[in-house]
Amino acid sequence: MEWQAYLDREQDRFVGELIDLVKIPSISAKPEHADDVAAAGEWVASKLKSIGIENVAVMPTAGHPVVYGDWLHAPEGSPTIMIYGHFDVQPAEPMELWTKPPFEPEIRDGLLYGRGASDDKGGMMVPIVAVEALMATTGRLPVNVKFFFEGQEEIASPDLPPFVEENRERLAADMIFSADGLQWDADTPQLIMGLKGIVSLEVVVTGPDADQHSGLRGAGIANPAMGLAQVLATMKSPDGRVTVEGFYDDVEPLSEQDRQAIARVPFDEATFLAETGAPAAVGEPGFSTLERLWARPTLDVNGLTSGWQGAGTKTIVPAVASAKITCRLVADQSPERIFDLIRDHVERVLPEGLRAEVNKLPGRGDPLLVPHGHNATAVAATVLEEVYGKTPYQTRVGGSIPVMNTLLEVLGVHPVMFGFQHGDEKMHSPNEFFRLSAFRRGQTAYVRLLESLAV
Amino acid sequence: MEWQAYLDREQDRFVGELIDLVKIPSISAKPEHADDVAAAGEWVASKLKSIGIENVAVMPTAGHPVVYGDWLHAPEGSPTIMIYGHFDVQPAEPMELWTKPPFEPEIRDGLLYGRGASDDKGGMMVPIVAVEALMATTGRLPVNVKFFFEGQEEIASPDLPPFVEENRERLAADMIFSADGLQWDADTPQLIMGLKGIVSLEVVVTGPDADQHSGLRGAGIANPAMGLAQVLATMKSPDGRVTVEGFYDDVEPLSEQDRQAIARVPFDEATFLAETGAPAAVGEPGFSTLERLWARPTLDVNGLTSGWQGAGTKTIVPAVASAKITCRLVADQSPERIFDLIRDHVERVLPEGLRAEVNKLPGRGDPLLVPHGHNATAVAATVLEEVYGKTPYQTRVGGSIPVMNTLLEVLGVHPVMFGFQHGDEKMHSPNEFFRLSAFRRGQTAYVRLLESLAV
């Protein structure tokens, strides 16, 4: 049987296996779900073993585990390919906005709904079942393959740098393909030439040592919730420019060539607004939306917490107010320097009568740009053009995958994003879904990729 | 037996009864505690019946119930006195800051700890047991007494105006004394000559229709959490002055005489800071802390909610951000006009790409000032001087008791604050307590008050 026929015949089973994997609530950000992350890792390891992958191991890190497995019997001179993905997922809140519970996946109209269905459980199953098809129909693979799947991508892979360092030889590869990537749309492939970096932190403003009666005490002391708002408001102008002093100092300006390349990619603002539900596309002045999304740094408040959040009113001056913040960074900004700038900024602008702390949170990554003329990227381009019948756009992504930097720095190989998810699939939001058509097409692409690399 | 001896002999039982009442978690702000508020009302009604009060009734309102009871057999020509209090309490959060659970009251060093021990379950038990002592030792009262206790003071008595209106005849009184009041300190009485008004609202800022991936979408849309911070920051300058346009327009300036009266009252800023734990006493420039607390309006953020509030990071642009706000008002500010000013202000300053709603919350009250030369206040002054051996200070309170305005407006009687709580008793905060010494002294004061009013 040919691998294409095998993939067609077994597709329903593959979808069922993906559903089983999505059912595991492997939320890496929540300590109480650590066992679920481990369970998802065990599930993946078991699947790898079942298709003939060797040396499969669930390997501990200081945090969530890693799953490794390989098949290294290709003819002498064949390249060794690493395939990367992750089996952890984002938290599912706000739960009330899900049409169906996030960990009870179901298919509607050819779309598989569930937290992680797209990012990245669906994505990582694509190369696994592609390899299964080759192994089942030919008993071998065209190249040496190493699978490297992790369980902490959604918290920015804090324990991966030492892990990759310590397992440098085991992980060594000639090329790295990441199954945590996106295509432009259901019909159009893309080559992702850049990812943003990220730095994560929280600002905690305190005043009184307990909540105070706003009538009896409030007028005499500073209010931490108002103080936090005042501090945050100094970080970004209402028109969208970040106003933390020095924030843009290390940003490499967009060249005219860069801007033309971005302008060649079709972008429909009306669709973008319909997908987000936002009333307008706004952001840093002087740049198009696509330039902002791909090539300009941002500062976002991800969450606010203070005082009374229940029904009605509680007449207090809260003791504490805090904000979670992430900045998306572009070359050549450094997460450490941006953190320092924000910490210094908070100290400078904090109103009298309050105290503030700025704490690092897990989640840091350098920005990443793929060099032009990169070998693995060229192979990926050929396969994508064959599978989609179109030349891929050269794009960037506003998201961050810190482990990509780790792989580049430690293994000396520039990873290629080779994933079949799409930006409209509500990753990180309620009602996340994955297109089953892309699941199937990605499998063909991965088989063709491995075949193309054979000596 | 004299009433003093009776009070001394029965004091332990009275404290036990107060403990029983504090055990009922009658949190009026939380719908799930509505039955507990009603249970507290039933407890109070039962107590009133047991001491010989007549026409006791738990009366429904559109929200939490009211408890009424009277004894109207004083000699012809005797005045009719209303005694007011409330049996509902503030929410107990943040729970983790309580040394012992808030609804498991216990006595330590002569202080009774528990949510509501001071505000106002302890306060309202004072006149009840004072009346019990008179009824038990003399079989009668020196004047006609009407008890009027409510279960929604902590949510600003939203259903009391129509209730008082509909029960105008039943509630008619010559003088009104509120057992929800404060003395200056454990040794010094005060006459409270003013209360602040209040208006309660929330600002809800929305952007995208669901949380968005901050990397894939964030740079292209406005962030509701940042937008909320920017809106709030325009409402108050970092030095503490409210900057909502028109906010101070209706404020009656403090006269030189007012400022001198306030300056005569001792106020120790170091103690104030030690009690609050705040690093500095700050507020509207140009006024002393006591002037700010008593006679200047405020705008406070009571709570903030947006996006991810759990451990670690969630890389989203949240769909919604909201702030709960209360303003404490002084004569002649109107809650309705201040609400309108804030709503207009939010519309004016909202950054592009966001939507905002400003919603009224339960909790409104006009500011209140006691007229100089008021009859019941003069009687209260005499009794307080006798019981404490000191001339009471003439003070104001930054808190708000909207029902006081209702009683004034509907019944035409100016209520007198005659309560024996103290400002340091962590009302509305964790580890609220009530001084048992004040519980006992207040009982003597209430008996003397009623005796003083006899014809």
Side-chain angles (χ1 to χ4, degrees), chain A residues 166-179:
Chain A
E166 285 158 27
N167 293 275
R168 179 193 290 265
E169 305 222 347
R170 189 194 301 244
L171 297 174
D174 299 301
M175 295 179 180
I176 300 175
F177 294 91
S178 169

Side-chain angles (χ1 to χ4, degrees), chain B residues 189-244:
Chain B
Q190 68 180 349
L191 292 167
I192 297 173
M193 307 305 287
L195 293 167
K196 286 185 183 174
I198 189 168
V199 60
S200 307
L201 55 99
E202 63 179 355
V203 178
V204 183
V205 176
T206 54
D209 56 15
D211 294 350
Q212 299 293 317
H213 190 297
S214 71
L216 300 184
R217 300 268 176 74
I221 57 176
N223 181 314
M226 178 57 87
L228 176 68
Q230 291 166 333
V231 166
L232 295 176
T234 65
M235 293 186 183
K236 211 167 181 179
S237 65
D239 72 4
R241 188 170 168 83
V242 178
T243 46
V244 173

Side-chain angles (χ1 to χ4, degrees), chain A residues 208-227:
Chain A
D209 56 15
D211 294 349
Q212 299 293 317
H213 189 297
S214 70
L216 299 184
R217 300 267 176 72
I221 58 176
N223 180 314
M226 177 58 86

Side-chain angles (χ1 to χ4, degrees), chain A residues 29-31 90-94 97 115 119 154-155 182 196 198 200-201 206-226 228-233 235-240 272-284 289 292-294 296-319 321-322 324-326 328 349 351-355 361-363 397-400 422-430, chain B residues 29-31 90-94 97 115 119 154-155 182 196 198 200-201 206-226 228-233 235-240 272-284 289 292-294 296-319 321-322 324-326 328 349 351-355 361-363 397-400 422-430:
Chain A
K30 295 190 171 183
Q90 281 274 318
E93 285 83 359
L97 297 184
R115 167 58 82 232
D119 181 13
E154 296 296 0
I155 54 172
L182 299 167
K196 286 185 183 175
I198 189 168
S200 309
L201 55 99
T206 54
D209 56 15
D211 294 349
Q212 299 293 317
H213 189 297
S214 70
L216 299 184
R217 300 267 176 72
I221 58 176
N223 180 314
M226 177 58 86
L228 176 68
Q230 290 166 333
V231 166
L232 295 176
M235 293 186 183
K236 210 167 181 179
S237 65
D239 72 3
F272 175 75
L273 292 179
E275 282 172 3
T276 60
V282 297
E284 191 188 358
T289 299
R292 292 170 188 149
L293 291 171
W294 290 355
R296 295 296 299 175
T298 62
L299 183 153
D300 268 307
V301 178
N302 315 116
L304 294 172
T305 307
S306 182
W308 182 241
Q309 304 188 41
T313 292
K314 191 177 181 193
T315 50
I316 52 166
V317 171
S322 65
K324 292 184 190 279
I325 292 176
T326 46
R328 299 286 179 169
V349 302
E352 199 195 338
L354 297 170
R355 303 179 185 93
L361 292 180
V397 169
S400 314
H422 298 91
D424 64 351
E425 290 171 355
K426 296 189 182 293
M427 291 170 275
H428 298 210
S429 291
Chain B
K30 294 191 172 184
Q90 281 275 320
E93 285 83 0
L97 296 183
R115 167 57 82 233
D119 181 14
E154 297 296 1
I155 53 172
L182 299 166
K196 286 185 183 174
I198 189 168
S200 307
L201 55 99
T206 54
D209 56 15
D211 294 350
Q212 299 293 317
H213 190 297
S214 71
L216 300 184
R217 300 268 176 74
I221 57 176
N223 181 314
M226 178 57 87
L228 176 68
Q230 291 166 333
V231 166
L232 295 176
M235 293 186 183
K236 211 167 181 179
S237 65
D239 72 4
F272 175 76
L273 291 179
E275 284 172 3
T276 59
V282 297
E284 191 189 356
T289 298
R292 291 171 188 148
L293 291 171
W294 290 355
R296 295 296 299 175
T298 63
L299 183 152
D300 268 307
V301 178
N302 314 117
L304 294 172
T305 307
S306 182
W308 182 242
Q309 305 187 40
T313 292
K314 191 178 179 192
T315 49
I316 52 167
V317 170
S322 64
K324 291 183 190 281
I325 293 177
T326 46
R328 300 285 180 169
V349 302
E352 197 194 339
L354 298 170
R355 304 179 184 93
L361 293 179
V397 168
S400 315
H422 299 90
D424 65 350
E425 289 170 357
K426 296 190 183 291
M427 291 170 276
H428 298 209
S429 291

Side-chain angles (χ1 to χ4, degrees), chain A residues 25-108:
Chain A
S26 50
I27 304 164
S28 49
K30 295 190 171 183
E32 65 269 30
H33 282 282
D35 287 350
D36 294 313
V37 177
E42 293 291 347
W43 190 99
V44 171
S46 168
K47 172 68 187 171
L48 293 180
K49 281 178 201 163
S50 76
I51 64 171
I53 298 301
E54 300 169 353
N55 300 309
V56 174
V58 178
M59 301 175 72
T61 72
H64 301 296
V66 153
V67 173
Y68 174 85
D70 60 33
W71 187 95
L72 305 175
H73 307 296
E76 181 146 352
S78 296
T80 297
I81 306 305
M82 176 196 285
I83 297 173
Y84 165 87
H86 64 90
F87 49 82
D88 63 317
V89 300
Q90 281 274 318
E93 285 83 359
M95 306 297 261
E96 66 275 15
L97 297 184
W98 286 81
T99 305
K100 291 292 165 79
F103 299 105
E104 298 175 20
E106 67 167 26
I107 299 167
R108 297 196 294 277

